Amino acid sequence: MPGRAGHRGLPTDVVADRAEAGAADTRSESTGRVANSLMAAVVVGHTVIALVGSLIVATDARRDEFALQRLIGSTRGQAMWMMSVEALLTALVGIVLGTGVAAGALIPLGPALDGSVLPGGPAWLHPAIVGTSAALTFVAVLLPTSVALRAKPVEAAVAP
């Protein structure tokens, strides 16, 4: 176990008893978990920013479509309902595909790590991810739709 300073401040190796070695291993394991959690949070954060940004841009690009729908008689509520259904379908497809990809990566590793085919971790994690994903999808689709529908249909149809 490296650590203690020896002659002239140079590190030396020492023989540790079982308790010291166990404590060092526990500290190392805890640090590894924190580092893994932080890396996962960064990856998830970047993914969320990219996906939400893509949904906002894609929805905002449909201003002409919304204006045309309003000009042919659709109400603001009907357009919002249509986009709500699209957001629901987008969220469902994303959640199913994301769960499938995660399961495909985690299930084969489970028996090797802890003997279970089910991934470890708290039971609330998957429902929290599903709920957050659905909520972000609805906000990223319905907020720009609502903003796009504020303009008068005639003005929105001819605006650049």
Side-chain angles (χ1 to χ4, degrees):
M1 171 173 181
R4 300 193 179 121
H7 183 64
R8 294 184 186 166
L10 299 174
T12 61
D13 290 334
V14 296
V15 176
D17 65 2
R18 189 175 298 269
E20 284 182 23
D25 188 47
T26 301
R27 284 191 304 274
S28 174
E29 197 173 291
S30 175
T31 302
R33 279 195 200 116
V34 170
N36 285 340
S37 296
L38 287 174
M39 285 191 304
V42 167
V43 168
V44 168
H46 281 94
T47 303
V48 165
I49 290 169
L51 289 173
V52 167
S54 296
L55 285 171
I56 289 171
V57 169
T59 304
D60 188 58
R62 295 173 68 183
R63 285 179 180 265
D64 292 343
E65 177 187 335
F66 299 144
L68 184 59
Q69 286 179 345
R70 298 284 310 279
L71 285 172
I72 63 171
S74 294
T75 65
R76 189 175 194 279
Q78 288 171 328
M80 288 296 286
W81 174 252
M82 176 192 72
M83 293 306 290
S84 297
V85 171
E86 281 189 27
L88 176 65
L89 291 174
T90 302
L92 286 175
V93 168
I95 289 165
V96 168
L97 291 176
T99 300
V101 168
L106 294 175
I107 288 175
L109 296 176
L113 295 175
D114 61 3
S116 171
V117 274
L118 296 177
W124 56 265
L125 189 58
H126 188 260
I129 291 170
V130 167
T132 303
S133 300
L136 285 172
T137 302
F138 274 90
V139 168
V141 170
L142 296 180
L143 188 64
T145 300
S146 177
V147 170
L149 290 172
R150 284 186 188 160
K152 292 181 181 176
V154 173
E155 293 171 1
V158 296

